[in-house]
Amino acid sequence: MERVLVVDDSSFARMMLKRCLSIAGVGKEELLEAENGQQALDLLREDNTIQLVVSDINMPILDGRAMLRRIRASPRLNHVPVIVVSSLVNDDARAELLQIGASVVLGKPISPKLMIDACATVSAES
């Protein structure tokens, strides 16, 4: 996965996610950023070369759940894997997110090891 979109309203969280992805060897060509789900959808619609989305859930304008539902509902985008990273992950939330189309659900704080494992899972599914 060479082009990855990182979606989080926190610039610090985006920086940490990008660092973990870099350590995992993902996003070698480009790590794109969006501050909310709407920006992410706009980027995905403009750029059909994005191969992975890593997203938070709680964001303004369009949250991660709504963004994920729209990605899965779009014939052009529904193949793009989405790794959800959120501080609000419990068993019920994880089950819901997987049911609506998340490829992997991770809790915050994230570590490079967790990101490596999540990317390996996504790659194996491709």
Side-chain angles (χ1 to χ4, degrees):
M1 287 170 259
E2 300 302 319
R3 292 179 56 78
V4 178
L5 175 57
V6 176
V7 189
D8 198 303
D9 57 322
S10 163
S11 60
F12 179 76
R14 288 193 311 273
M15 180 190 70
M16 294 305 294
L17 289 168
K18 286 172 61 176
R19 183 171 293 153
C20 288
L21 286 161
S22 222
I23 291 168
V26 176
K28 293 176 189 171
E29 184 176 313
E30 190 168 10
L31 289 168
L32 305 166
E33 296 183 36
E35 295 179 5
N36 59 63
Q38 187 59 56
Q39 282 183 357
L41 286 174
D42 292 344
L43 281 169
L44 284 161
R45 288 177 181 137
E46 292 170 13
D47 184 346
N48 65 355
T49 64
I50 295 172
Q51 297 167 297
L52 174 66
V53 175
V54 178
S55 180
D56 188 21
I57 291 298
N58 290 325
M59 299 177 286
I61 302 175
L62 185 67
D63 71 16
R65 282 180 180 86
M67 178 197 72
L68 181 57
R69 284 186 181 99
R70 290 183 188 180
I71 289 171
R72 292 300 170 240
S74 168
R76 270 194 61 238
L77 303 175
N78 65 11
H79 69 281
V80 178
V82 178
I83 296 174
V84 173
V85 181
S86 177
S87 57
L88 301 175
V89 173
N90 57 36
D91 290 342
D92 291 339
R94 178 174 278 108
E96 175 202 4
L97 291 163
L98 291 170
Q99 191 269 330
I100 62 174
S103 304
V104 178
V105 179
L106 301 173
K108 286 183 181 177
I110 188 70
S111 71
K113 168 75 170 111
L114 288 172
M115 189 59 73
I116 289 167
D117 292 346
C119 290
T121 298
V122 168
S123 291
E125 292 175 358
S126 300

